[in-house]
């Protein structure tokens, strides 16, 4: 399956761009979101599970901005890290839930 290249949240459309391992290492990141340009960048060498965990992590930053959490940077990072990991674990351990989510939110 192809990696996602866009995601919509509210009225915003985010582009997901995949960068080289070298570029990601230089930035010392797996992923990063720029809410001023609606762009998420992800290390293209990550496996599928780490990629989706990273995308969820970056989207939690988007949610934090959208809902004006106004947390100090370290606290926001902790929330994004733990929530992204928790959702990844939840979805990984509950395939039937993931299938039901896909069914429930399928556009008709």
């Amino acid at each position: 399956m192809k990696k996602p290249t866009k995601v919509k949240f509210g009225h915003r459309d985010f582009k997901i761009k995949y960068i080289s391992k070298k570029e990601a290492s230089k930035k010392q990141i797996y992923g990063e979101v720029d809410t001023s340009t609606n762009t998420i960048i992800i290390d293209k060498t990550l496996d599928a599970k780490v990629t989706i965990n990273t995308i969820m992590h970056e989207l939690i930053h988007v949610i934090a901005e959208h809902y004006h959490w106004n947390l100090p940077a370290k606290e926001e990072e902790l929330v994004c890290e733990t929530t992204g990991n928790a959702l990844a674990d939840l979805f990984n351990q509950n395939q039937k839930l993931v299938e039901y989510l896909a069914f429930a939110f399928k556009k008709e």
Side-chain angles (χ1 to χ4, degrees):
M1 178 173 270
K2 292 182 89 172
K3 293 179 181 180
T5 57
K6 59 185 175 179
V7 64
K8 185 172 185 62
F9 182 74
H11 65 281
R12 298 164 79 178
D13 295 312
F14 285 83
K15 291 181 183 177
I16 302 175
K17 297 181 179 179
Y18 296 91
I19 61 173
S20 69
K21 177 71 171 173
K22 183 178 180 180
E23 193 175 348
S25 293
K26 188 176 178 180
K27 291 175 164 272
Q28 298 182 321
I29 61 166
Y30 281 172
E32 183 175 73
V33 63
D34 182 343
T35 56
S36 68
T37 62
N38 294 339
T39 304
I40 297 171
I41 59 171
I42 304 289
D43 177 344
K44 69 180 177 182
T45 65
L46 302 176
D47 68 29
K49 287 182 180 178
V50 177
T51 296
I52 196 62
N53 183 317
T54 305
I55 292 170
M56 287 189 298
H57 173 107
E58 299 309 329
L59 288 173
I60 297 165
H61 283 293
V62 172
I63 292 166
E65 179 192 70
H66 182 83
Y67 288 103
H68 308 286
W69 291 357
N70 299 322
L71 297 172
K74 284 187 179 184
E75 288 181 29
E76 182 178 316
E77 191 61 29
L78 179 62
V79 168
C80 294
E81 186 74 23
T82 57
T83 305
N85 289 343
L87 287 171
D89 289 345
L90 177 71
F91 296 150
N92 190 46
Q93 295 169 13
N94 295 282
Q95 187 60 41
K96 294 287 186 190
L97 174 63
V98 172
E99 291 168 12
Y100 189 75
L101 286 169
F103 165 78
F105 293 115
K106 186 177 183 178
K107 288 192 175 194
E108 297 191 24

